[in-house]
Amino acid sequence: MSAKRRATGPAVTRKPRKPGTNRRRFRRVLKWFLIVALVGTLILIGGFVYLYRTTPIPDPNKDFQTQTSFVYYNDGKTEVGQFATQNRQIIPLSDMPDQLQNAVIAAEDRTFYTNSGIDPKGIIRAAFNDARGGATQGASTITQQYVKILYLTQERSVSRKVHEAILSLKLQKQQSKKQILEGYLNTIYFGRGAYGVEAAAKAYFGVPADQLTLRQSAVLASVLNNPSQFDPANGKSNKEALLARYRYVLAGMASMNAITDAQATQAAKRLPDFPVFQESSQYGGQKGHMLTLVRQELHRLGFTDDQIDGGGLQVTTTFTPEAMKAAADGVKEVRPKISDRKLHVGAATVQPGTGALLGFFGGQNYLRSQINWAEAGGMVGSTFKPVSLAAAITDGYSLKSTWDGNSPYSFPDGLEVHNEGPAPGTSYGSAVSSVLALEQSINTAFVDMSASMKNGPDKILTMANKMGIPPAEADPHYPGIPSSTRDLEPDALITLGKARISAINMANTYATIANGGQRADVHVIDTVKLSDGTIKYRYKPHTTQAVDPDINSDVSYAMQQVVLHGTGVNAQAIDRPAAGKTGTATNSLDQVSSSWFVGFTPQMSTAVMYVRGDGDNQLDDNWLPPYNGASGYFGAGYPTATWAAIMKRDLEGQPVEKFPLPANVPAKQDDHAPVPTFTPPPPPSSRPTQRPPSSAPSSSAPPSSSAPPSSSAPPSSSAPPSSSAPPSSPTSPTASARPLARLESWW
């Protein structure tokens, strides 16, 4: 029998564990935790009791005040206008129909008559969310909303929420539910400058509150949730949003047994009629469009409608009286005498380096139409091509790289892209330079350019965003007015400008080129002061290097040739160096539906757009009269002449500044090397000739010479080796979307 052997060394003894040690340790920790929790609770209760006793309840009719907010031009002194003339009429609850009271309760606080005045879960959720810096939380009771309104503060903090809860509980103890509801309905903001239901009933329906119908009551209850979003006067989308909210309110009234299901179903079929009121003259002309842009930017900065309409704000904008007048007068001088209900002109002028929107023209008098065409925009056509050129040079090509200028250009799936001039289907040869491609707006060359880059459409889209065209979905890194762009997708034809972009954002994109490739964020507000004079917001200049400076100089050089020798010769009327690009786009029926010119000098960038009807109606087929003997629907006609009329006014008295010389960045890609000079086909004999640059152009046509101008090629010092070989066969585009191919005319 063997025995276990002990390891060498002294014996190790273990102290036996006393039973219950872990239990006693847990009890000790729990005891201290309970003591701390108890002390903390007592402190919170004591603090709450102290605040409860020392916090006075404001008098709603004495302490509630509103102050008119004023908007100024960029000098901070000249007034643009006011947002709303405050209107508040106090009436007793007995003059408010029961169905109105029930509609508001159904919309805002269905437990109003049974709750204690606060929503504990909502307070806790909002407090934690605010502490994390999240979005403002709702779920407030009517009592809480009433208290917040009385204090007129939008501070997002835990202390304000606690203060609000204390006042709500105190108000609940000292006033009846009827009194609270009466004060609330006499104080809440309904939009249109109306505070309280009496003013709201007159502002929306032209009747006193005691004459409101069920449908009208449900509308007012719906609107107060978000007066800007749910006011049907603000457009079709607002009316659709109101209808959804309106039906929600009616369903709530039925669930509360305030009305029958049959009444709710019948009322939900349609909104009530809204009478047309004479708008205040302060919104006449372009001022309504100006105030709307300012309100939109205030919203983006976090200001609420309550603050905007009744907070006594003093807003200094970027607008100048001179630039606003230049835009309006320039459009009036050139546009043909066609009803402004049918023909719409949008124009915008942005200051390079700052992004300040100095002036714009939005179309019709705001009192007749609230559509601002400078913001609404349209399909931009070939004004997008400089973006593609910037992307191509960034990708390793150059001004001397050559592209397929023959028409048509066929994709593997059968889609064909055609050139438009000098006659439809014109071929320029298999190898045209980047400069000539932009100068003569050769569609096939730019499609070849996009297809030749690896992931070309994606690179073009990225460049567009960086230069000032916002993406399809709003992104704070790429701001704009508006903050998103319709139909901006990285497909095969992005290079031809099928995206629908605002004139404001196009002007800012070209301002990036005018500013050496540095994009400044376009904006309309410089400072916002509170009623006591405190500066709440001041714009901080911010620029981003969107395009390499040397590459930018080359893009600018090519755009100067468009004005000197190409489709933009009518821009020479400003008698100083200019760069730009024409654009003409077509609708789904292959009809010309938008016509553009966007251009710049070192000091100023302006975009001009002509559209018809809803923005997609036909401009060609003799709808627009000829301009100086040439077809008026091309970008080189009315849009370029309008641009020149605006810019001559904007630049009056300013020094003539020159552009930097091209850097002539050498190509890193050798698959599109230069070839011997190509001579384009002779123009039609009927084509009008160009007047000398010293006089105003009489035609929108390029030079009549059949040879390309000598300045169409950049300096030769850094040109890559010549090659007579045609460019390689284009690859298939990365996207499969197939919009119309005819998006730009030669003119």
Side-chain angles (χ1 to χ4, degrees):
M1 183 175 180
S2 61
K4 292 183 178 179
R5 299 179 60 186
R6 183 176 65 83
T8 57
V12 177
T13 59
R14 294 182 180 178
K15 189 176 181 181
R17 181 181 297 172
K18 294 182 180 180
T21 300
N22 288 338
R23 190 177 303 165
R24 284 194 298 272
R25 185 178 301 161
F26 174 77
R27 287 176 178 173
R28 197 161 48 243
V29 172
L30 179 60
K31 182 178 80 171
W32 282 108
F33 174 79
L34 292 175
I35 290 172
V36 171
L38 179 61
V39 171
T41 302
L42 291 174
I43 291 173
L44 288 175
I45 293 173
F48 189 87
V49 170
Y50 172 79
L51 289 173
Y52 186 88
R53 289 182 175 179
T54 58
T55 301
I57 296 179
D59 182 327
N61 295 327
K62 177 183 177 182
D63 296 342
F64 177 76
Q65 297 176 357
T66 62
Q67 298 183 57
T68 301
S69 294
F70 291 91
V71 178
Y72 301 95
Y73 285 98
N74 70 336
D75 60 6
K77 298 177 181 178
T78 308
E79 185 180 324
V80 172
Q82 308 168 20
F83 280 113
T85 301
Q86 278 71 47
N87 182 12
R88 181 176 180 232
Q89 296 171 269
I90 302 169
I91 61 174
L93 192 66
S94 58
D95 286 350
M96 305 176 194
D98 288 343
Q99 57 195 13
L100 171 63
Q101 299 176 40
N102 290 326
V104 171
I105 291 170
E108 296 298 310
D109 183 7
R110 295 180 185 178
T111 63
F112 172 68
Y113 281 112
T114 58
N115 64 44
S116 60
I118 63 172
D119 176 8
K121 292 181 180 179
I123 293 174
I124 294 172
R125 183 174 62 252
F128 276 106
N129 189 74
D130 291 344
R132 293 196 304 266
T136 303
Q137 295 288 300
S140 294
T141 66
I142 282 178
T143 308
Q144 287 175 268
Q145 292 182 53
Y146 181 37
V147 166
K148 184 168 67 175
I149 294 167
L150 292 178
Y151 272 89
L152 280 179
T153 175
Q154 299 298 324
E155 179 190 0
R156 291 173 53 191
S157 66
V158 175
S159 62
R160 199 223 73 193
K161 264 306 187 191
V162 171
H163 195 196
E164 177 184 299
I166 291 171
L167 274 176
S168 298
L169 288 172
K170 200 165 187 178
L171 198 65
Q172 179 80 14
K173 294 291 185 181
Q174 297 186 15
Q175 294 186 14
S176 69
K177 290 287 187 178
K178 295 285 187 182
Q179 289 175 308
I180 293 172
L181 185 60
E182 178 182 295
Y184 174 77
L185 290 175
N186 274 314
T187 310
I188 190 71
Y189 182 60
F190 287 85
R192 300 190 181 184
Y195 289 84
V197 294
E198 180 73 3
K202 294 176 180 178
Y204 283 87
F205 301 108
V207 299
D210 61 4
Q211 295 181 21
L212 289 169
T213 65
L214 170 60
R215 280 192 170 98
Q216 292 169 340
S217 297
V219 164
L220 293 185
S222 303
V223 164
L224 63 83
N225 179 264
N226 190 325
S228 178
Q229 180 183 357
F230 295 128
D231 187 340
N234 290 340
K236 182 179 179 180
S237 62
N238 297 73
K239 195 169 186 177
E240 292 173 350
L242 171 62
L243 181 59
R245 178 73 179 173
Y246 167 79
R247 288 171 173 167
Y248 164 81
V249 171
L250 289 169
M253 294 178 72
S255 70
M256 293 165 47
N257 296 319
I259 58 175
T260 65
D261 290 338
Q263 286 177 304
T265 301
Q266 182 64 27
K269 290 181 179 179
R270 65 174 179 84
L271 292 167
D273 295 329
F274 294 91
V276 178
F277 300 106
Q278 180 63 42
E279 293 276 359
S280 169
S281 60
Q282 71 183 23
Y283 284 88
Q286 297 299 301
K287 286 189 177 181
H289 297 304
M290 297 170 73
L291 293 172
T292 298
L293 286 179
V294 173
R295 180 184 289 272
Q296 290 171 354
E297 189 152 310
L298 286 170
H299 283 160
R300 288 194 292 271
L301 295 175
F303 292 91
T304 67
D305 282 319
D306 283 349
Q307 292 173 296
I308 295 169
D309 290 312
L313 303 179
Q314 300 170 53
V315 183
T316 299
T317 69
T318 60
F319 305 129
T320 71
E322 297 80 12
M324 290 298 301
K325 188 174 188 301
D329 290 351
V331 170
K332 183 179 179 180
E333 176 187 320
V334 176
R335 78 184 304 278
K337 296 187 182 303
I338 297 175
S339 169
D340 60 6
R341 295 179 182 271
K342 297 179 180 179
L343 177 63
H344 310 298
V345 181
T349 299
V350 172
Q351 186 177 51
T354 68
L357 179 60
L358 301 178
F360 70 92
F361 182 79
Q364 287 187 63
N365 185 320
Y366 182 84
L367 301 183
R368 293 201 302 268
S369 173
Q370 285 73 57
I371 298 176
N372 179 352
W373 288 100
E375 180 186 24
M379 203 183 309
V380 294
S382 285
T383 59
F384 195 88
K385 285 176 179 173
V387 175
S388 298
L389 181 58
I393 300 178
T394 301
D395 198 51
Y397 295 99
S398 74
L399 290 181
K400 289 189 174 181
S401 295
T402 56
W403 315 96
D404 187 354
N406 286 323
S407 182
Y409 182 104
S410 299
F411 288 99
D413 64 359
L415 174 69
E416 291 186 347
V417 174
H418 297 263
N419 295 325
E420 285 298 321
T426 297
S427 288
Y428 291 83
S430 61
V432 296
S433 72
S434 301
V435 175
L436 188 63
L438 190 70
E439 177 187 299
Q440 302 300 327
S441 201
I442 303 173
N443 286 342
T444 57
F446 276 88
V447 173
D448 185 19
M449 186 183 296
S450 172
S452 298
M453 291 186 280
K454 184 178 181 180
N455 300 321
D458 289 292
K459 291 176 179 176
I460 293 171
L461 174 60
T462 298
M463 180 60 71
N465 296 156
K466 291 166 64 177
M467 292 177 69
I469 300 173
E473 295 185 7
D475 184 331
H477 295 97
Y478 305 112
I481 302 174
S483 58
S484 60
T485 303
R486 290 183 295 158
D487 301 333
L488 183 63
E489 302 169 349
D491 57 28
L493 297 181
I494 184 176
T495 187
L496 299 185
K498 72 182 185 65
R500 298 172 184 271
I501 307 171
S502 73
I504 297 172
N505 287 334
M506 285 303 297
N508 193 48
T509 299
Y510 278 41
T512 296
I513 305 172
N515 191 45
Q518 283 193 333
R519 186 197 81 229
D521 298 340
V522 65
H523 62 286
V524 300
I525 294 178
D526 183 62
T527 59
V528 180
K529 293 182 181 179
L530 301 180
S531 58
D532 62 2
T534 303
I535 296 178
K536 181 67 174 178
Y537 168 81
R538 186 188 298 277
Y539 177 75
K540 296 179 180 179
H542 175 260
T543 58
T544 303
Q545 193 68 46
V547 187
D548 176 85
D550 286 346
I551 293 173
N552 187 81
S553 295
D554 285 355
V555 174
S556 174
Y557 172 83
M559 297 175 73
Q560 293 166 51
Q561 308 317 304
V562 174
V563 172
L564 290 173
H565 311 291
T567 60
V569 292
N570 280 340
Q572 294 176 22
I574 68 170
D575 293 326
R576 62 174 69 211
K581 185 70 189 74
T582 54
T584 308
T586 58
N587 60 22
S588 60
L589 300 177
D590 202 30
Q591 302 165 338
V592 173
S593 59
S594 67
S595 187
W596 291 74
F597 185 79
V598 188
F600 59 91
T601 66
Q603 305 106 308
M604 210 80 70
S605 175
T606 294
V608 175
M609 176 195 75
Y610 275 64
V611 294
R612 175 187 174 190
D614 64 359
D616 273 325
N617 296 91
Q618 185 175 14
L619 290 174
D620 57 358
D621 196 25
N622 298 320
W623 190 85
L624 269 179
Y627 178 78
N628 280 354
S631 297
Y633 54 83
F634 290 127
Y638 289 107
T640 306
T642 303
W643 178 90
I646 294 171
M647 289 288 277
K648 285 176 75 172
R649 290 169 168 83
D650 278 328
L651 294 167
E652 185 176 356
Q654 295 198 32
V656 175
E657 294 187 14
K658 296 182 179 180
F659 292 108
L661 294 174
N664 209 17
V665 175
K668 297 178 182 178
Q669 306 275 13
D670 58 6
D671 58 333
H672 286 265
V675 297
T677 301
F678 167 73
T679 302
S685 58
S686 61
R687 179 169 149 205
T689 58
Q690 175 196 350
R691 287 186 182 179
S694 59
S695 62
S698 62
S699 159
S700 56
S704 59
S705 170
S706 61
S710 60
S711 60
S712 294
S716 60
S717 58
S718 59
S722 298
S723 169
S724 59
S728 60
S729 300
T731 57
S732 176
T734 60
S736 60
R738 289 292 177 261
L740 286 171
R742 179 174 168 254
L743 289 171
E744 165 65 33
S745 77
W746 177 70
W747 296 81

